[in-house]
């Protein structure tokens, strides 16, 4: 069973930067993409960024131009570089790995990490 472990969270002042890392315990079979989500207390988890298997990227409007997702296949890792952090970026950030046969949308499975807290003040 693949495990995802995030790191890099912490406390930072507004305007600062953090780089989140997510490392998989092993290469993910039938991987379709990697993503970062965030969750505010008492709120539904929301998608922050996706890096698809074809290298296409997607960003939530709230983070466009400030966050960058990247991947290192050799290390089974995905990163989220967060710049110009704002108070509203304070949340628990979770890594996700999508996998499935043929990467057919609607039939994907997901591995989740435990999350790493980001606090902007």
């Amino acid at each position: 069973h693949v495990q995802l472990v995030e790191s890099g969270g912490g406390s930072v002042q507004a305007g600062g930067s953090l780089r989140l890392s997510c490392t998989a315990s092993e290469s993910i079979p039938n991987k379709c993409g990697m993503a970062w989500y965030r969750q505010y207390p008492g709120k539904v988890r929301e998608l922050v960024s996706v890096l698809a298997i074809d290298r296409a990227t997607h960003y939530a409007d709230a983070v466009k131009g400030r966050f960058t997702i990247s991947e290192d296949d050799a290390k089974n890792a995905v990163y989220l570089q967060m710049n110009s952090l704002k108070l509203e970026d304070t949340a628990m950030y979770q890594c996700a790995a999508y996998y499935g046969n043929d990467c057919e949308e609607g039939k994907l499975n997901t591995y989740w990490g435990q999350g790493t807290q980001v606090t902007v003040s």
Side-chain angles (χ1 to χ4, degrees):
H1 182 72
V2 174
Q3 292 184 321
L4 303 178
V5 178
E6 300 98 334
S7 62
S11 297
V12 64
Q13 290 189 335
S17 298
L18 283 175
R19 186 192 192 214
L20 305 184
S21 300
C22 170
T23 302
S25 57
E26 59 189 270
S27 181
I28 300 172
N30 299 321
K31 186 174 70 175
C32 301
M34 301 293 293
W36 286 96
Y37 288 76
R38 66 186 180 188
Q39 188 169 21
Y40 302 107
K43 301 293 186 180
V44 176
R45 183 167 49 202
E46 63 181 40
L47 180 65
V48 175
S49 183
V50 176
L51 176 57
I53 198 68
D54 62 357
R55 299 305 184 191
T57 58
H58 165 81
Y59 296 93
D61 288 343
V63 307
K64 281 180 181 176
R66 301 188 297 121
F67 291 11
T68 303
I69 191 170
S70 61
E71 190 173 23
D72 186 334
D73 290 332
K75 296 181 178 180
N76 294 322
V78 65
Y79 309 99
L80 187 68
Q81 178 66 44
M82 306 187 297
N83 298 327
S84 302
L85 283 161
K86 303 177 180 180
L87 298 179
E88 53 264 41
D89 294 320
T90 296
M92 178 67 73
Y93 285 73
Q94 269 186 295
C95 168
Y98 306 130
Y99 65 99
N101 293 330
D102 299 323
C103 295
E104 186 174 347
E105 193 169 351
K107 295 185 178 181
L108 297 177
N109 299 298
T110 307
Y111 292 119
W112 292 99
Q114 291 298 308
T116 185
Q117 177 68 35
V118 171
T119 301
V120 184
S121 61

